[in-house]
């Protein structure tokens, strides 16, 4: 039982490049979330999903897209990376809203 | 003003001490409250939920004061392993609104 895993752990991009971050959970959770964490700030919700095939915007969705084609996977895409997207990205999953969220280990992204 | 505010600390206390910190929130529509713990360069992990009546889990006690709009976390008999950043989380009725505080850093010294 791996819980929540994230791929890759670390990535360096040049401005304008694209990439996809993968989140996978093996707990059969309906809800999945993508957050970013910047120094001195709390985690901020980018997008979330309440089930397979659904996605919705969070607090800071601009510049990101997501997809949830399979219940266990939640993908976060950056179409054209910008230095402002340098951050640590955390994925989380949970049985339902207002329930415990289980986080992945994070992806550190540096955009030059 | 931030919607959820925490004293960033650091709180530097000796082992065995009792330490408490608060988290204030500005929106009275808040519905659920949690404390998460985050170790350096690691992911957040749930410490405890915060119930209206207050709740205790071993050395940890969480309280909610809706009238004054804050939640608190009390740690008794602190251990070196309690050194971490403590994040408060406020949730509203919609899953699109989950607010994390920026965290309070706690350092326990021998």
């Amino acid at each position: 039982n791996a819980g929540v895993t994230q791929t890759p752990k670390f990535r360096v991009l040049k401005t304008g490049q694209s990439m996809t971050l993968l989140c996978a959970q093996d707990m059969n959770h309906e809800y999945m979330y993508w957050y970013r964490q910047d120094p001195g700030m709390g985690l901020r919700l980018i997008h979330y999903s309440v089930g397979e095939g659904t996605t919705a915007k969070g607090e800071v969705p601009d510049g990101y897209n997501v997809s949830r084609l399979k219940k266990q996977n939640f993908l976060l895409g950056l179409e054209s990376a910008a230095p402002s997207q340098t951050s640590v990205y955390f994925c989380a999953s949970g049985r339902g809203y207002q329930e415990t969220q289980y986080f992945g280990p994070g992806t550190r992204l540096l955009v030059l | 003003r931030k919607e959820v505010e925490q004293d960033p600390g650091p709180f530097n206390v000796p082992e065995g001490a009792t330490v408490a910190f608060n988290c204030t929130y500005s929106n009275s529509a808040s519905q659920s409250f949690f404390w998460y713990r985050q170790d350096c360069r690691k992911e957040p992990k749930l410490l405890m939920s915060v119930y209206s009546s207050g709740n205790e889990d071993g050395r940890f006690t969480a309280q909610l004061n809706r009238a004054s709009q804050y939640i608190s976390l009390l740690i008794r008999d602190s251990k070196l392993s309690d050194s971490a950043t403590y994040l408060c989380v406020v949730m509203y009725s919609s899953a699109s609104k989950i607010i994390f505080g920026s965290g309070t850093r706690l350092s326990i010294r021998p």
Side-chain angles (χ1 to χ4, degrees), chain A residues 70-93:
Chain A
K70 293 183 179 180
K71 186 176 184 178
Q72 62 267 34
N73 295 339
F74 196 28
L75 279 62
L76 178 71
L78 286 74
E79 288 186 351
S80 179
S84 60
Q85 294 178 304
T86 292
S87 188
V88 180
Y89 291 85
F90 287 103
C91 174
S93 71

Side-chain angles (χ1 to χ4, degrees), chain B residues 65-86:
Chain B
N65 186 318
R66 282 197 183 271
S68 301
Q69 296 186 191
Y70 72 89
I71 63 173
S72 64
L73 180 66
L74 178 81
I75 305 174
R76 288 182 298 278
D77 186 24
S78 53
K79 314 288 184 194
L80 295 175
S81 57
D82 293 334
S83 296
T85 296
Y86 291 83

Side-chain angles (χ1 to χ4, degrees), chain B residues 40-107:
Chain B
C40 189
R41 300 178 75 83
K42 297 284 190 180
E43 72 272 22
K45 291 184 180 177
L46 179 70
L47 180 66
M48 57 199 304
S49 303
V50 186
Y51 303 125
S52 297
S53 54
N55 47 304
E56 190 174 305
D57 183 2
R59 298 181 293 109
F60 299 85
T61 300
Q63 301 225 308
L64 166 63
N65 186 318
R66 282 197 183 271
S68 301
Q69 296 186 191
Y70 72 89
I71 63 173
S72 64
L73 180 66
L74 178 81
I75 305 174
R76 288 182 298 278
D77 186 24
S78 53
K79 314 288 184 194
L80 295 175
S81 57
D82 293 334
S83 296
T85 296
Y86 291 83
L87 311 173
C88 70
V89 182
V90 176
M91 291 188 175
Y92 298 86
S93 58
S94 165
S96 65
K97 203 157 169 67
I98 302 172
I99 309 296
F100 277 74
S102 53
T104 296
R105 246 181 68 207
L106 175 64
S107 179

